[in-house]
Amino acid sequence: MYQERASRLDGAIVWTRTVTAEAAGPGPGPAPYPVLPDGCMDLLWIGGRLLVAGPDTRAYVPEGIAGLHCAGVRFAPGAAPALLGVPAHELRDRRVELADLWSPADVRGITARLAAAEDQAVALEDVALRRAAGSPPPDPLLRAVVGGLNAGRTVAATADAVGLGARQLHRRSLDAFGYGPKTLARVLRLQRALAFVRAGESFAAAALAAGCADQAHLARETRDLAGLTLGAYERAYAAPAKSETPQPSGSRTTA
């Protein structure tokens, strides 16, 4: 079962997921719902471990989580690097131990507090809030970049709107989002399109509404970024699951 809510941290989402053995499938195989690229990074609590999920450029299938209660704080695109203290591109397509980024002694103390907490999701959110209070705020210019690209503007038009040259925008995007603005635009467009699919729109209508050239364009992007056909996505995410409620874009769980 997957659940999420808005965080007390601006722009973030707090989520929880419990994967039953039935939902995970027989044996030690992967859980059925892949994590799809969304431009975000997550702070994770999984089976007593604290981890960070970097920005994805391809679908990620979590393994070894059957029977585990997972919690996470999913940060808005560009918001996590200042809080975590590491450029996003260093964590691209990776899941790493939080102790590799922060003081191991501090992480041991945080781990003990979360293990004793009645609600690990709330406790994890508190960790993020305390860390954010002592960290530089996210760059508002890069928030404007996300807004422009998510509105369907071209990379060139977005760069002009925020007053950056193409090279400057690319360099700052690597640090903030983990990849360049063209990749971020593709990821955000795919998420828009799949939201329309989940809402019941036809593939062709979803493609046009999200800014794709046509349904074939959306189908290619879904295969490239999500590792799924449109039909497979619709069956896995839009239809009610028998044993587990699927998450909208894939919570970032890992072994």
Side-chain angles (χ1 to χ4, degrees):
M1 177 68 70
Y2 174 82
Q3 295 179 313
E4 66 177 39
R5 63 170 173 81
S7 173
R8 290 170 285 159
L9 183 64
D10 185 34
I13 296 293
V14 177
W15 58 264
T16 59
R17 184 185 185 198
T18 301
V19 182
T20 65
E22 179 184 4
Y33 301 113
V35 179
L36 305 188
D38 57 8
C40 300
M41 297 170 63
D42 291 56
L43 180 61
L44 306 171
W45 169 262
I46 301 175
R49 296 166 63 197
L50 282 164
L51 303 105
V52 172
D56 292 319
T57 61
R58 57 184 180 269
Y60 173 84
V61 179
E63 299 180 357
I65 61 172
L68 296 181
H69 174 70
C70 312
V73 177
R74 185 166 64 243
F75 303 101
L83 184 149
L84 295 172
V86 61
H89 65 82
E90 293 188 10
L91 302 180
R92 183 173 55 236
D93 293 319
R94 298 177 62 200
R95 273 70 179 155
V96 302
E97 299 282 346
L98 184 61
D100 291 340
L101 306 179
W102 295 0
S103 159
D106 290 346
V107 173
R108 284 194 296 271
I110 295 169
T111 300
R113 291 199 301 275
L114 263 70
E118 182 176 345
D119 187 327
Q120 276 86 26
V122 171
L124 191 64
E125 182 184 23
D126 288 340
V127 171
L129 285 164
R130 285 195 295 271
R131 184 76 177 193
S135 303
D139 188 340
L141 184 146
L142 293 173
R143 178 174 291 188
V145 169
V146 175
L149 295 177
N150 205 27
R153 295 177 187 159
T154 65
V155 171
T158 300
D160 287 343
V162 300
L164 289 178
R167 290 184 179 179
Q168 286 180 307
L169 177 58
H170 186 81
R171 182 175 63 252
R172 293 177 69 166
S173 293
L174 288 177
D175 287 344
F177 311 122
Y179 31 64
K182 289 184 178 180
T183 298
L184 179 62
R186 292 179 66 202
V187 166
L188 295 176
R189 183 177 60 202
L190 178 66
Q191 285 292 338
R192 293 196 303 274
L194 296 183
F196 284 118
V197 171
R198 293 194 300 272
E201 295 285 349
S202 70
F203 296 154
L208 293 177
C212 294
D214 51 27
Q215 180 177 329
H217 182 196
L218 174 58
R220 290 193 299 272
E221 291 291 86
T222 305
R223 286 194 300 270
D224 289 348
L225 294 172
L228 296 167
T229 65
L230 280 168
Y233 178 86
E234 185 177 45
R235 289 190 296 273
Y237 288 86
K242 292 181 180 180
S243 57
E244 181 184 359
T245 302
Q247 58 274 27
S249 61
S251 58
R252 293 162 172 271
T253 47
T254 182

